[in-house]
Amino acid sequence: MIYSGSTDKSIKIWDITKFSCIGTLQGHTGNVFCLQHDRKQHPSPTLISGSEDATIRVWDLTTMQQQQVLRGHTLAVITLQFDDEKIVSGSADKSIKVWDRQSGVCLYTLDRHSSAVWNLKFTDSRIISSSFDQSLVVWDFAFMEESDEEDEEFWD
């Protein structure tokens, strides 16, 4: 399978053996800019998408239904990555957010870039992000603290 996000606000699921679209996920209200697929079958295959509508949506690929909508960014979600425990997203609002994958709660908001966050990757210990401000920032999870304050900054 191949998954594609589109300017028509949908996500298409393609069967590459038949060269045909076998499903469409709808829910975003803006262009879909990024997505990641999890092939694990437990509890079910998952796709997570980010959009111009500033939301992140979690999809169950078995039922083809939306499971969660994560809200917190104020502008388009341009990049994301997830693992079993967390979702990390970067936005045109210049921030990176770290979310608890199960609950959908935003654990950290990272504000150090002066322009849109273009790309990010993370490991168990670090996030590396790049931005239109031509910077690359390495964030260390060991120095992050949970906070109820949405605008508090954390970095090493």
Side-chain angles (χ1 to χ4, degrees):
M1 299 295 165
I2 293 179
Y3 305 90
S4 63
S6 178
T7 57
D8 71 0
K9 307 171 190 172
S10 73
I11 298 164
K12 302 284 189 197
I13 303 169
W14 302 89
D15 182 332
I16 57 173
T17 62
K18 297 178 183 175
F19 302 104
S20 63
C21 178
I22 60 169
T24 302
L25 303 174
Q26 295 182 315
H28 282 294
T29 59
N31 299 335
V32 179
F33 290 143
C34 55
L35 49 83
Q36 181 185 338
H37 171 243
D38 182 359
R39 296 178 188 185
K40 295 178 185 172
Q41 299 297 316
H42 181 74
S44 64
T46 301
L47 182 99
I48 299 181
S49 57
S51 169
E52 181 180 38
D53 65 12
T55 67
I56 298 162
R57 295 177 190 255
V58 180
W59 306 88
D60 181 321
L61 293 175
T62 300
T63 64
M64 303 285 283
Q65 297 296 311
Q66 181 178 282
Q67 293 179 314
Q68 286 180 305
V69 179
L70 284 60
R71 300 179 196 283
H73 286 292
T74 58
L75 294 173
V77 177
I78 298 172
T79 183
L80 62 79
Q81 182 185 347
F82 71 90
D83 64 14
D84 291 338
E85 298 174 8
K86 61 192 161 294
I87 301 167
V88 180
S89 58
S91 171
D93 67 11
K94 308 174 194 173
S95 75
I96 296 167
K97 292 191 179 286
V98 180
W99 311 81
D100 179 85
R101 182 166 170 191
Q102 301 308 310
S103 68
V105 170
C106 181
L107 302 174
Y108 315 111
T109 298
L110 309 172
D111 293 310
R112 192 167 181 187
H113 289 291
S114 61
S115 189
V117 178
W118 180 247
N119 201 355
L120 60 81
K121 295 294 178 196
F122 73 86
T123 65
D124 289 338
S125 61
R126 292 192 173 96
I127 301 170
I128 299 174
S129 60
S130 63
S131 167
F132 283 117
D133 64 13
Q134 300 181 353
S135 70
L136 183 72
V137 179
V138 179
W139 311 82
D140 194 326
F141 281 115
F143 294 102
M144 293 181 204
E145 298 175 8
E146 292 188 32
S147 174
D148 293 330
E149 301 222 357
E150 188 68 21
D151 296 325
E152 195 163 340
E153 299 178 352
F154 303 98
W155 60 77
D156 67 343

